[in-house]
Amino acid sequence: MERVVTAIELVKGGRKRKIYVNDEWAFSLYPAQIRGHGMEEGMVLTGELYERICTETLEPQAKKRVLNLLIAKDRSRKELLEKLAGDGYPPKVAQTAVEYAQSYHYVDDLRFAVTYLRSHEEEKSHLQLSMKLKERGIAREVADEAFETVYEERLERMGEDFEEAELTALRRQVGRKVKNPATLTQKDVQKLTASLCAKGFRGTDIRRVLGALFSGEIPENDME
């Protein structure tokens, strides 16, 4: 399908102009850039011209925009892509700009997740934190690693007392939910494990406590 520049629109309060191709906003350029590329309403936007606009004009601007966004605050890959899309950069240009920043380790989803958890771990539950990270495009395995990193940091700061307090709290939670371990089915165990993970307990600790309970190493009255 032929691509036609159907409108070049002045944005109120801004210097850039919105370029519409086939009646859809394709990208934005400054007036001097529009003149430099010889663009005008009604012209056919060839593939060659579009590629030149992307590589010579939009990509350098998008890279600069990403760096400025990261200077303001740490952001996830997803957040950066959404910001660039909102600024009118085509997906291909946005991807190139974010990958450029990633190549210099300016974008690091694990670092972002760890920083976020450090800032909010005292005010939000584990489930709320997980949901917030998911909203920001953080992959499950990256979020799990971030939670583990923050846990290890707290353990290092607070020592063995912290670990024992965590295990004690976990045993009490299990005690409230499990009255007779012998009656639990595999599905019950999976449901219980998911519930405890949502409360912020680590999978390794959950397996450790449940394993000890089912093997009889922990008397049931010690779970109360």
Side-chain angles (χ1 to χ4, degrees), residues 158-170:
M158 302 172 68
E160 294 181 0
D161 289 343
F162 168 71
E163 184 174 26
E164 186 53 41
E166 286 283 294
L167 289 172
T168 298
L170 175 56

Side-chain angles (χ1 to χ4, degrees), residues 79-147:
E79 287 177 326
L80 290 171
L81 290 173
E82 289 175 346
K83 280 284 187 181
L84 292 176
D87 290 339
Y89 290 102
K92 175 185 173 183
V93 171
Q95 289 279 357
T96 298
V98 173
E99 287 170 5
Y100 165 81
Q102 281 184 308
S103 70
Y104 288 96
H105 302 289
Y106 297 141
V107 183
D108 186 325
D109 277 0
L110 176 59
R111 184 184 66 219
F112 172 86
V114 169
T115 300
Y116 184 86
L117 293 180
R118 287 171 182 158
S119 301
H120 300 283
E121 63 178 332
E122 298 298 331
E123 62 191 58
K124 298 181 186 296
S125 69
H126 185 279
L127 182 58
Q128 288 174 319
L129 290 169
S130 296
M131 293 298 294
K132 289 294 182 182
L133 291 179
K134 184 177 180 180
E135 289 172 7
R136 285 160 172 76
I138 305 302
R140 174 65 180 274
E141 59 271 18
V142 175
D144 289 345
E145 186 175 352
F147 275 112

